């Protein structure tokens, strides 16, 4: 799993989610769970409609959202936890809110695939175990470290936020 942070610039007057109302807010992209979908659910959970209470600004990635926030291109931003922790100066930002833990993407096989093929696919993927030498050599250029068997409990946080997700607007 990983997480996300909703940030403001350190030293700004913004110290809570409601302080972002009426402000420009940076998102890396509409396809980012940690930089768009989850933070928007967190806003809704707090009674803030991101569609009407903030002006969105889209950057090209999480690092660009941090730069835009630092340089005054927006008053708030959402980024995944590792981007924040690897920022040149994390102290330049104030964490307003963190999301629940976000499970990594699940790869699922549908009913149309026979059981034997399903087991072969599972074996092939789980052979690329997290951090293994084989996974490193196969996946090194993808900035991806490996696969783990699924654990349905990791999706409890998704179930808890489901009523605050608006997939019509959050995945356009």
């Amino acid at each position: 799993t990983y997480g996300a942070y909703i940030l403001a610039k350190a030293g700004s007057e913004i110290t809570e989610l409601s302080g972002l109302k009426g402000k420009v807010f940076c998102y890396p992209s509409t396809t980012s769970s940690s930089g768009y979908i989850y933070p928007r659910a967190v806003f809704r959970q707090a009674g803030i409609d991101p569609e009407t209470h903030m002006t969105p600004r889209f950057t090209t990635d999480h690092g660009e959202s941090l730069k835009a926030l630092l340089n005054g291109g927006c008053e708030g931003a959402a980024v995944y936890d590792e981007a924040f922790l690897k920022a040149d100066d994390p102290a330049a930002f104030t964490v307003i809110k963190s999301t629940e833990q976000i499970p990594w993407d699940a790869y699922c096989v549908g009913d149309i695939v026979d059981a034997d093929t399903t087991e072969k696919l599972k074996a092939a993927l789980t052979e690329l175990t997290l951090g293994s030498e084989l996974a490193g050599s196969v996946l090194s250029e993808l900035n991806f470290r490996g696969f783990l068997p699924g654990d349905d409990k990791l999706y409890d946080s998704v179930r808890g936020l489901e009523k605050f997700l608006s997939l019509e607007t959050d995945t356009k």
Side-chain angles (χ1 to χ4, degrees):
T1 63
Y2 61 106
Y5 295 115
I6 296 172
L7 307 169
K9 191 172 178 180
S12 77
E13 297 174 4
I14 301 168
T15 58
E16 54 189 44
L17 291 175
S18 62
L20 292 166
K21 286 183 175 181
K23 306 292 187 199
V24 175
F25 193 84
C26 282
Y27 299 103
S29 79
T30 59
T31 60
S32 174
S33 294
S34 59
Y36 188 70
I37 296 172
Y38 265 70
R40 290 167 61 84
V42 167
F43 283 124
R44 287 188 193 101
Q45 189 175 31
I48 299 167
D49 181 1
E51 294 292 318
T52 59
H53 291 141
M54 292 177 276
T55 301
R57 176 179 174 204
F58 293 95
T59 64
T60 55
D61 61 37
H62 296 264
E64 290 300 316
S65 288
L66 289 173
K67 287 179 191 173
L69 178 56
L70 194 58
N71 296 325
C74 51
E75 288 88 11
V79 297
Y80 77 104
D81 54 9
E82 200 169 314
F84 168 71
L85 296 171
K86 289 184 175 180
D88 290 338
D89 185 11
F93 307 100
T94 298
V95 176
I96 304 298
K97 182 82 173 161
S98 59
T99 67
E100 296 282 335
Q101 286 296 296
I102 303 168
W104 287 103
D105 296 338
Y107 293 88
C108 304
V109 177
D111 302 15
I112 63 169
V113 179
D114 64 83
D116 185 50
T117 302
T118 297
E119 285 306 311
K120 287 177 182 174
L121 286 169
K122 182 178 177 182
L125 291 177
T126 56
E127 191 172 336
L128 300 171
T129 56
L130 197 61
S132 71
E133 185 177 329
L134 178 60
S137 65
V138 172
L139 303 170
S140 63
E141 292 184 27
L142 301 175
N143 194 22
F144 189 63
R145 297 184 309 242
F147 292 91
L148 295 171
D151 181 352
D152 189 63
K153 288 184 287 187
L154 295 176
Y155 295 89
D156 287 346
S157 67
V158 177
R159 292 179 189 100
L161 280 178
E162 185 176 16
K163 64 185 171 191
F164 300 107
L165 298 174
S166 175
L167 295 179
E168 292 102 38
T169 56
D170 288 345
T171 57
K172 283 184 182 173

